[in-house]
RNA sequence: GCCGGAGUGGUGGAAUUGGCAGACACGCAGGAUUUAGGAUCCUGUGCCCUCGGGUGUGCGGGUUCGAGUCCCGCCUCCGGCACCA
């Protein structure tokens, strides 16, 4: 696209061709990462982080949005002359590369590294202010070798462990999934319905950090999006209550259950054990066994989707044993059912049908006794009563809860349980440990060797990185066990401890492990003395801002907080939260829906750039609305952005005064406007209201255009000042156009480091302000008044105003509210 | 069901200590210029209405001189969790 104008030609494509090589040569966005305490860089540091990318194909519209937004902040910090670290890297292990490799019969690395180069070239074209010297790829052995080192540290601390349990299994991808990767019963990646399998797998003990993950949110409050903090709180799911021990007839050890309502203990008339928990199997009597096993078989066959179906009728089976309620002394039956979860609490619950709808349903179906222990409110005609009320039917010789409110009853009963040794105060969490092993090839090998004699043996550190075997020519297709298991000369090793025959663990790590610490390695990306340079990280981190999508709310954004805390505990970090601030960009959609091939509503980033230029696409992304809002591409106008850039560019090229002309000699009204825009733009950027900042720049261009054509004139130095301010502000969003404007204004590249303008406080003072005069709260007149007018003078002026007199029309004035200098309200 | 967030013109959105609702754009309409226009420039544009005004920020109340903003009760949409005891 190229436009002839009376003064010059704005040709985006030519600008892109012209300036890219200049920037490559100047390399203006290098962080001074090596500056140490002994040789300090006096500038303030800023670490601008954006979620690194997965190399599947070229950049798309979503990348274009988040990068455009992120670049505003990064470039603003560069203009402020901070020492900015603005790195980029690739999340380059993962399933799509492996699946593409299987399809095309090539190695995942070929696909991965080709895409990385494609994306890197697109990022450069898109003019992102990244420091290219920091670039890292998680599939490089120098990266994942240190990840193996970290895994072994977690292992030593008991934070990485292996256990058998029922796990989420994706039948299509033929691999296990973490809880966080199961969305509404389906695989996060491919949407296939998830099933359950019993497998021995590696876990990170994130549950040890549940409370700290909650507590440290206090630091994030106000700086992280509310929905993310809420989602994490829900996910961690803290519950306060008590463990209660029940004596079971014929069993030496009592069975413990967790309850949030120990105040209803007098109403516990049965116990339910998760059918798939080992405890159910153990408690079951021989007489009941056939029935129990038949039931269990049915439970195992159910998919997650079936299990999650709403209003599903509860089913269960009597296990043949009885327990004793410690407060009533009554015997109760023990049942197994699938509405109790094996891996939450103790895998067993006390049935309190009077105050729990699930227990009520179960009791009703199987004819179990129901006792109310809370007085329902007047008119309550439901089943289980879960509202507030005072306790009833809750007394024995030693304790009397009757009449007490819920909280008081809970306190009293727990105290009693503790004093009698029947239970204790407890907190449980919904959060489960993070299942990290995956039965796939293209990932970080788990550095453990399994020896029949010695058990789990860590790969010795001097053998790290434990590289992936090439496997070229092998079948990578998913078979339920890792393809690595088939690489016999890689898998079969001598045990490092005893020298006997042993096998390497053939699973690879979840790629969310890779992304849990990449930001720590950026300051010194090729560091070879450890996973990251502890001293450099101390100087740069925590990050000052992190841009990325909210789809990671309980995935990456939880995991990287967990890693940060563990590394803090290991003495490697002096902070506990990885980033001070987080911004979630919205999604780019089209015609009201997510872009997809089947809907045929895809928008190609390359085509948009070809049609409108990089700058117009970036500007459109930034101007569309607040960063966290979705952008419907059908609602915005890259053509409009293009027209604006052209106007701005022409305005700058129309300036005729010489560089360095003293603005003080220029038109003061225009100068006031310019300085007001500078002042506001600064605040708007710092509060992430980039769209409004763009609106202010547009106003400045409009006002300056008018001043050139029918005001101060093209040679007024205030015009130059306005044009230069416009150029610098615009450089955050439209770097090509701004660079060319800067040259047109007689300056050397690069405008990116020209320096952020400062507003002259004297020019921010208004000469006169508009005062609104209301009668009965309705605007009836406007007055131009000096900003320091007194309340009395202003009131006199307002009451003398013609329009006010007409409306008041002789009625008695009851009250006059004066807020000098902006408002007067006359009440009659 | 529980926990969050949000509802403003034809459209995207402004207005963040309660003080001019609709900034800035898109679109549309009219005009200028042009061989032409997916170019450029100018003007207009919440709704109703007869100039004058009335009315208006999801709905209903309330507080206040004054409410998009605060309070109470609803409705709708979006996100998280969901048999978590």
């Amino acid at each position: 696209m190229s436009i002839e104008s009376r003064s010059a030609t704005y040709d985006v494509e030519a600008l892109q061709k012209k300036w890219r090589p200049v920037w490559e040569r100047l390399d203006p966005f290098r962080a001074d990462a090596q500056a140490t305490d002994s040789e300090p860089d006096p500038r303030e540091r800023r670490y601008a982080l954006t979620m690194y990318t997965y190399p599947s194909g070229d950049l798309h519209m979503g990348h274009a949005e988040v990068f455009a937004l992120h670049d505003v902040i990064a470039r603003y910090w560069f203009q402020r002359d901070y020492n900015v670290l603005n790195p980029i890297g690739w999340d380059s292990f993962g399933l799509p590369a492996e699946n593409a490799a299987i399809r095309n019969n090539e190695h995942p690395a070929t696909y991965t590294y080709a895409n990385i180069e494609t994306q890197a070239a697109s990022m450069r074209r898109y003019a992102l202010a990244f420091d290219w010297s920091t670039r890292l790829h998680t599939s490089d052995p120098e990266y994942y070798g240190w990840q193996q080192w970290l895994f072994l540290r977690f292992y030593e601390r008991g934070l990485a462990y292996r256990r058998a349990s029922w796990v989420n299994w994706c039948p299509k991808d033929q691999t296990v999934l973490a809880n966080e990767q199961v969305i509404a019963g389906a695989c996060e990646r491919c949407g296939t319905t998830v099933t359950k399998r019993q497998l021995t797998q590696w876990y990170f003990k994130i549950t040890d950090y549940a409370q700290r993950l909650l507590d440290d949110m206090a630091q994030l409050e106000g700086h992280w999006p509310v929905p993310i903090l809420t989602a994490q709180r829900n996910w961690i799911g803290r519950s306060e209550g008590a463990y209660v021990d029940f004596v079971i007839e014929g069993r030496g050890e009592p069975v413990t259950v967790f309850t949030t309502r120990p105040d209803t203990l007098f109403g516990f008339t049965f116990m339910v054990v998760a059918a798939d928990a080992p405890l159910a199997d153990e408690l079951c009597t021989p007489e009941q066994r056939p029935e129990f096993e038949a039931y269990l078989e049915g439970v195992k066959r159910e998919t997650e989707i079936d299990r999650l179906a709403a209003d599903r009728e509860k089913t269960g089976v009597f296990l043949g044993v009885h327990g004793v309620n410690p407060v009533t002394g009554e015997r109760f039956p023990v049942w197994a059912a699938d509405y109790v979860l094996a891996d939450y609490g103790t895998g067993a619950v006390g049935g309190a049908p009077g105050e729990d709808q699930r227990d009520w349903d179960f009791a009703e179906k199987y004819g179990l006794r129901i006792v109310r222990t809370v007085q329902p409110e007047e008119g309550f005609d439901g089943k289980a009563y879960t509202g507030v009320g005072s306790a009833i039917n809750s007394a024995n010789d030693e304790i009397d809860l009757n009449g007490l409110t819920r909280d008081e009853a809970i306190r009293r009963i727990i105290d009693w349980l503790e004093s009698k040794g029947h239970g204790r105060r407890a907190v449980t969490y919904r959060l489960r440990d993070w299942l990290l092993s995956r039965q796939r090839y293209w990932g970080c090998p788990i550095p453990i060797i399994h020896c029949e004699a010695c058990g789990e043996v860590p790969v010795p550190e001097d053998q790290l990185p434990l590289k992936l075997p090439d496997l070229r020519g092998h079948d990578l297709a998913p078979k339920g066990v890792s393809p690595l298991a088939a690489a016999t000369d890689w898998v079969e090793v001598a045990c490092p401890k005893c020298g006997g025959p042993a096998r390497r663990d053939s699973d690879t790590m979840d790629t969310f492990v890779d992304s849990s610490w990449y930001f720590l390695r950026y300051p010194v990306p090729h560091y070879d003395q450890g996973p990251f340079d502890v001293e450099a990280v101390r100087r740069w981190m925590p990050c000052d801002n992190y841009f990325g999508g909210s789809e990671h709310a309980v995935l990456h954004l939880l995991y990287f907080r967990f890693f940060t805390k563990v590394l803090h505990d290991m003495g490697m970090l002096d902070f506990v939260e990885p980033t001070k601030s987080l911004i979630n960009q919205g999604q780019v959609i089209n015609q009201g829906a997510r872009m997809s091939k089947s809907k045929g509503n895809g928008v190609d980033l390359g085509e948009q750039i070809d049609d409108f230029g990089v700058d117009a696409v970036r500007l459109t992304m930034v101007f569309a609305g607040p960063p966290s809002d979705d952008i419907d591409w059908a609602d915005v106008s890259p053509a409009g952005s293009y027209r604006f850039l052209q106007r701005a560019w022409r305005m700058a090229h129309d300036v005729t005064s010489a560089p360095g002309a003293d603005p003080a000699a220029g038109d003061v009204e225009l100068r006031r406007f310019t300085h007001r825009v500078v002042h506001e733009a600064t605040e708007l950027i710092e509060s992430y209201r980039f769209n409004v900042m763009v609106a202010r720049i547009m106003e400045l261009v409009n006002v300056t255009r008018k001043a050139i054509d029918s005001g101060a004139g093209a040679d007024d130095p205030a015009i130059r000042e306005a044009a230069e301010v416009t150029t610098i502000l615009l450089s955050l969003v439209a770097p090509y156009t701004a660079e060319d404007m800067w040259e047109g204004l007689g300056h050397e590249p690069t405008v990116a480091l020209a320096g952020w303008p400062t507003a002259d406080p004297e020019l921010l003072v208004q000469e006169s302000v508009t005062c609104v005069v209301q009668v009965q709260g309705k605007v009836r007149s406007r007055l131009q008044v000096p900003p320091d007018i007194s309340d009395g003078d202003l009131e006199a002026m307002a009451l003398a105003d013609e329009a006010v007199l007409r409306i008041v029309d002789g009625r008695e004035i009851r009250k006059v509210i004066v807020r000098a200098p902006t408002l007067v309200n006359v009440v009659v």
Side-chain angles (χ1 to χ4, degrees):
Chain A
M1 214 186 221
S2 141
I3 304 305
E4 295 292 324
S5 86
R6 62 201 145 172
S7 50
T9 305
Y10 176 71
D11 182 338
V12 214
E13 223 161 293
L15 295 193
Q16 290 173 193
K17 278 211 185 74
K18 175 178 173 187
W19 292 112
R20 204 127 40 98
V22 174
W23 296 335
E24 300 279 327
R25 183 162 44 76
L26 293 174
D27 197 12
F29 306 117
R30 290 289 285 267
D32 189 356
Q34 306 298 338
T36 59
D37 294 338
S38 52
E39 279 178 74
D41 186 319
R43 298 175 300 167
E44 280 181 50
R45 289 190 190 84
R46 287 290 186 281
Y47 186 166
L49 185 64
T50 185
M51 286 183 187
Y52 66 173
T53 60
Y54 188 83
S56 57
D58 201 351
L59 300 185
H60 52 64
M61 295 296 281
H63 292 118
E65 184 195 5
V66 67
F67 287 147
L69 295 166
H70 167 83
D71 220 43
V72 171
I73 277 288
R75 285 178 176 269
Y76 169 68
W77 285 339
F78 278 111
Q79 291 286 21
R80 294 295 300 258
D81 195 29
Y82 297 142
N83 183 9
V84 183
L85 176 61
N86 184 31
I88 188 64
W90 277 270
D91 186 13
S92 49
F93 270 140
L95 268 182
E98 192 167 332
N99 291 339
I102 293 163
R103 262 198 317 278
N104 306 327
N105 200 25
E106 60 180 13
H107 195 273
T110 313
Y111 168 93
T112 300
Y113 286 91
N115 280 340
I116 287 175
E117 288 318 313
T118 302
Q119 292 193 346
S122 294
M123 288 176 188
R124 287 173 189 269
R125 181 189 190 205
Y126 202 57
L128 298 170
F130 288 132
D131 179 345
W132 288 97
S133 71
T134 62
R135 170 174 175 173
L136 62 79
H137 319 122
T138 57
S139 55
D140 291 349
E142 71 157 17
Y143 185 86
Y144 71 74
W146 286 114
Q147 182 160 308
Q148 291 164 337
W149 184 91
L150 285 171
F151 177 90
L152 294 176
R153 299 291 84 74
F154 277 55
Y155 181 71
E156 286 164 5
R157 300 175 76 85
L159 293 171
Y161 69 96
R162 222 159 77 106
R163 73 171 149 92
S165 76
W166 290 96
V167 298
N168 303 304
W169 178 261
C170 174
K172 172 137 183 285
D173 290 333
Q174 291 278 302
T175 185
V176 300
L177 299 170
N179 260 356
E180 288 81 357
Q181 290 166 319
V182 180
I183 312 295
C187 171
E188 174 227 10
R189 289 225 80 96
C190 67
T192 306
T193 299
V194 168
T195 58
K196 291 277 185 185
R197 276 200 174 188
Q198 185 146 34
L199 289 172
T200 300
Q201 298 285 303
W202 286 98
Y203 292 83
F204 280 136
K205 212 159 197 293
I206 191 171
T207 51
D208 273 7
Y209 284 75
Q211 190 57 49
R212 286 171 61 190
L213 286 164
L214 283 175
D215 291 343
D216 292 342
M217 279 185 207
Q219 301 183 23
L220 309 178
E221 213 75 57
H223 309 283
W224 275 43
V226 172
I228 299 291
L229 295 177
T230 307
Q232 293 204 359
R233 249 182 226 110
N234 286 342
W235 188 257
I236 295 167
R238 181 190 153 100
S239 296
E240 291 180 21
Y243 285 125
V244 183
D245 303 325
F246 291 96
V247 171
I248 302 294
E249 293 172 3
R251 191 179 195 259
E253 286 292 301
V255 169
T256 303
V257 305
F258 175 74
T259 177
T260 55
R261 295 293 305 276
D263 58 313
T264 64
L265 184 56
F266 283 86
F268 278 36
T269 53
F270 56 97
M271 178 186 284
V272 188
V273 181
D276 55 344
L279 181 64
D281 183 70
E282 184 221 303
L283 290 177
C284 187
T285 58
E287 300 79 58
Q288 291 299 112
R289 185 151 296 274
E291 201 183 329
F292 167 68
E293 285 183 353
Y295 177 70
L296 185 59
E297 272 315 299
V299 169
K300 283 179 182 171
R301 263 199 303 277
E302 289 203 315
T303 64
E304 271 300 276
I305 297 279
D306 294 333
R307 227 180 58 74
L308 291 173
D311 315 325
R312 211 172 55 117
E313 193 170 349
K314 291 183 178 33
T315 58
V317 59
F318 178 48
L319 290 174
V321 291
H322 289 82
V324 180
N325 185 320
V327 286
T328 61
E330 288 171 2
R331 290 177 85 224
F332 59 74
V334 180
W335 286 63
D338 68 343
Y339 80 93
V340 173
L341 305 174
D343 58 352
Y344 180 75
T346 62
V349 303
E355 286 75 35
D356 185 294
Q357 189 57 47
R358 298 158 300 185
D359 295 340
W360 179 289
D361 294 342
F362 193 73
E364 204 170 41
K365 174 159 181 189
Y366 293 107
L368 302 166
R369 209 156 62 85
I370 296 173
V371 177
R372 285 196 191 280
T373 60
V374 176
Q375 179 66 51
E377 65 197 351
E378 198 91 3
F380 176 77
D381 59 354
K383 298 175 171 181
Y385 182 70
T386 55
V388 287
S390 49
I392 53 172
N393 302 325
S394 297
N396 63 21
D397 294 346
E398 298 179 34
I399 180 164
D400 183 357
L401 302 178
N402 288 336
L404 297 181
T405 61
R406 174 194 297 200
D407 289 353
E408 182 55 25
I410 288 174
R411 202 165 23 244
R412 291 271 282 276
I413 188 71
I414 294 177
D415 287 347
W416 184 84
L417 287 167
E418 287 185 337
S419 72
K420 294 286 172 184
H422 292 316
R424 63 224 139 265
R425 207 161 253 111
V427 173
T428 60
Y429 302 89
R430 213 194 65 95
L431 183 69
R432 307 299 150 84
D433 279 337
W434 170 10
L435 199 173
L436 71 105
S437 24
R438 296 290 179 276
Q439 290 70 50
R440 299 300 300 247
Y441 168 71
W442 190 233
C444 174
I446 293 172
I448 294 287
I449 291 164
H450 300 284
C451 168
E452 282 203 18
C454 313
E456 292 164 2
V457 181
V459 171
E461 263 176 48
D462 60 6
Q463 291 175 26
L464 300 182
L466 168 59
K467 290 189 190 174
L468 274 175
D470 190 285
L471 287 201
R472 233 170 272 264
H474 280 68
D475 179 15
L476 294 181
K479 292 174 284 291
V481 289
S482 172
L484 288 177
T488 43
D489 48 350
W490 182 84
V491 167
E492 290 171 5
V493 286
C495 170
K497 242 189 203 164
C498 70
R503 290 177 64 85
R504 292 190 188 282
D505 198 299
S506 61
D507 285 350
T508 52
M509 296 186 208
D510 181 3
T511 54
F512 280 110
V513 180
D514 309 357
S515 52
S516 291
W517 67 283
Y518 74 104
F519 49 92
L520 297 168
R521 197 162 165 82
Y522 275 142
V524 187
H526 304 296
Y527 191 65
D528 61 3
Q529 303 300 304
F532 53 88
D533 182 335
V534 168
E535 283 309 310
V537 165
R538 206 183 297 278
R539 286 192 297 274
W540 283 103
M541 290 197 69
C543 299
D544 294 283
N545 189 60
Y546 195 17
F547 252 107
S550 58
E551 68 274 16
H552 292 295
V554 294
L555 290 159
H556 166 61
L557 292 172
L558 189 65
Y559 296 148
F560 88 140
R561 295 184 60 219
F562 163 62
F563 256 62
T564 301
K565 289 173 206 306
V566 174
L567 292 167
H568 170 266
D569 292 352
M570 286 167 53
M572 296 180 75
L573 302 177
D574 60 356
F575 49 89
V576 295
E577 287 295 337
T579 183
K580 295 177 198 164
S581 165
L582 171 72
I583 305 289
N584 291 132
Q585 83 283 6
Q587 308 219 327
V588 185
I589 61 175
N590 192 27
Q591 291 156 356
R594 289 191 67 153
M595 295 182 197
S596 75
K597 279 203 183 102
S598 58
K599 290 197 192 84
N601 65 341
V603 178
D604 183 78
L605 175 60
E607 284 173 19
Q608 294 295 308
I609 290 175
D610 290 344
D611 287 352
F612 304 105
V614 166
D615 285 355
V617 170
R618 290 176 50 136
L619 180 68
T620 303
M621 296 289 185
V622 174
F623 183 54
S628 53
D629 284 12
D630 285 351
I631 299 174
D632 191 330
W633 203 247
D635 289 338
V636 295
S637 173
S641 299
Y642 177 88
R643 286 197 294 272
F644 164 71
L645 290 172
Q646 177 184 258
R647 277 164 57 77
W649 184 90
R650 270 210 327 254
M651 179 269 280
H653 280 80
D654 284 350
V655 169
T656 54
S657 59
D662 181 11
D667 181 78
V668 73
E669 274 313 307
L670 178 58
R671 296 203 68 210
R672 281 210 173 90
F673 195 88
T674 303
H675 283 254
R676 182 148 300 282
V677 169
V678 168
H679 179 73
E680 286 183 27
T682 308
E683 289 184 345
L684 289 166
I685 287 181
E686 303 222 349
S687 53
Y688 301 96
R689 287 181 292 166
F690 306 155
N691 56 324
V692 186
M693 176 199 70
V694 170
R696 295 291 170 267
I697 301 175
M698 288 173 168
E699 285 186 80
L700 182 55
V701 170
N702 291 344
V703 165
T704 309
R705 179 78 259 165
K706 231 169 232 149
I708 292 172
D709 293 342
S710 54
D715 61 345
D716 188 296
I719 298 284
R720 166 168 285 276
E721 182 182 42
E724 292 186 349
V725 162
T726 301
T727 305
I728 294 170
L729 301 189
L730 206 51
S731 76
L732 310 190
V733 187
Y736 290 109
T737 306
E739 194 70 80
D740 211 61
M741 289 163 70
W742 196 238
E743 183 191 50
L745 288 163
H747 299 292
E748 291 295 312
T750 171
V751 67
L753 301 181
W756 193 248
T758 48
D760 179 346
E762 283 185 28
L763 289 167
L764 293 179
V765 178
Q766 301 275 24
E767 206 169 42
S768 74
V769 297
T770 304
C771 174
V772 172
V773 185
Q774 302 176 330
V775 179
Q776 310 288 73
K778 283 180 186 151
V779 180
R780 296 299 181 176
S781 181
R782 291 183 175 81
L783 304 169
Q784 285 301 316
V785 298
D788 56 352
I789 191 169
S790 71
D791 282 2
D793 290 352
L794 186 58
E795 179 174 341
M797 265 181 87
L799 292 178
D801 185 83
E802 214 175 284
V804 172
L805 288 172
R806 196 185 67 229
I807 302 287
V808 169
D809 193 24
R811 285 177 289 179
E812 185 198 354
I813 292 169
R814 301 214 321 258
K815 199 172 181 182
V816 182
I817 312 287
V818 184
R819 294 282 179 275
T822 55
L823 181 127
V824 177
N825 188 13
V826 179
V827 184
V828 295

